[in-house]
Amino acid sequence: MTLQRRRGYTLIELVVVLAVLGLLAAAVFPLAEITLQRERERELKQALWQIREAIDAYKRANDKGQLAHPPGSSGYPASLQVLAAGDSSAAVPGQRLVFLRRVPRDPFASPELPAEQTWGLRSFQSSAEQPRAGDDVYDVFSRSTRVGLNGVPLKDW
């Protein structure tokens, strides 16, 4: 009698391979989450810098008399939309000075909200510890309750 050798894998070999693949997948998943979090935090920093630069440019233009504003105003924009839509120029009637192409969104906010509504607003009259919206936009912050990878809450960035 001749014995025929069967070719293929045994059940034990298949189980071992699946267990090794499961361990590798379990190790990669947390790294993917951290990478996604890091990317969203980078987008948040970039958006905060863009808005901050636009608010500062608006204030400088107002202080130089390039914008038509009533006396006694703080000199900061009335809303984030003003930065993108533009404000009336005092130097050239009919011209609008624009400070942002579009208002960036908070990457941690709900995607259903318009970009302007994803940010918390702080007026010139409110304190940094208890920011409140008011007649102008002095600063913005993330409304997210999450904590960044650096241990600082995103609203404090």
Side-chain angles (χ1 to χ4, degrees), residues 51-52 54-55 77-86 99-100 102-104 115-121 136-141:
I51 294 172
R52 178 78 261 155
I55 291 171
S79 68
L80 290 177
Q81 190 57 35
V82 169
L83 297 172
F99 300 91
L100 280 175
R102 64 175 176 76
V103 177
E116 300 84 30
Q117 294 178 8
T118 62
W119 300 104
L121 305 177
D136 56 13
V137 178
Y138 176 71
D139 200 5
V140 296
F141 57 92

Side-chain angles (χ1 to χ4, degrees), residues 11-137:
L11 181 60
I12 293 176
E13 290 172 329
L14 289 175
V15 169
V16 168
V17 168
L18 288 176
V20 169
L21 287 175
L23 286 172
L24 289 174
V28 169
F29 186 70
L31 292 175
E33 281 186 3
I34 290 172
T35 302
L36 180 62
Q37 172 85 6
R38 186 175 293 129
E39 178 63 24
R40 289 172 72 191
E41 286 182 10
R42 188 191 61 75
E43 289 175 25
L44 176 63
K45 282 182 189 178
Q46 189 175 27
L48 288 169
W49 276 104
Q50 286 176 353
I51 294 172
R52 178 78 261 155
E53 287 294 322
I55 291 171
D56 291 344
Y58 187 97
K59 176 68 170 149
R60 282 191 302 271
N62 189 56
D63 290 348
K64 291 179 182 177
Q66 296 172 338
L67 298 171
H69 273 276
S73 68
S74 67
Y76 290 98
S79 68
L80 290 177
Q81 190 57 35
V82 169
L83 297 172
D87 206 347
S88 301
S89 170
V92 182
Q95 183 184 24
R96 300 184 73 72
L97 296 177
V98 179
F99 300 91
L100 280 175
R101 288 182 185 219
R102 64 175 176 76
V103 177
R105 17 180 346 94
D106 181 347
F108 292 95
S110 171
E112 291 86 32
L113 290 174
E116 300 84 30
Q117 294 178 8
T118 62
W119 300 104
L121 305 177
R122 175 182 167 212
S123 72
F124 183 69
Q125 287 82 19
S126 71
S127 68
E129 295 78 29
Q130 295 180 340
R132 289 178 284 117
D135 296 335
D136 56 13
V137 178

Side-chain angles (χ1 to χ4, degrees), residues 37 40 44 106 108-110 118 141-148 151-157:
Q37 172 85 6
R40 289 172 72 191
L44 176 63
D106 181 347
F108 292 95
S110 171
T118 62
F141 57 92
S142 177
R143 290 183 176 173
S144 175
T145 57
R146 298 179 77 165
V147 175
V152 177
L154 296 178
K155 66 180 181 67
D156 294 338
W157 282 26

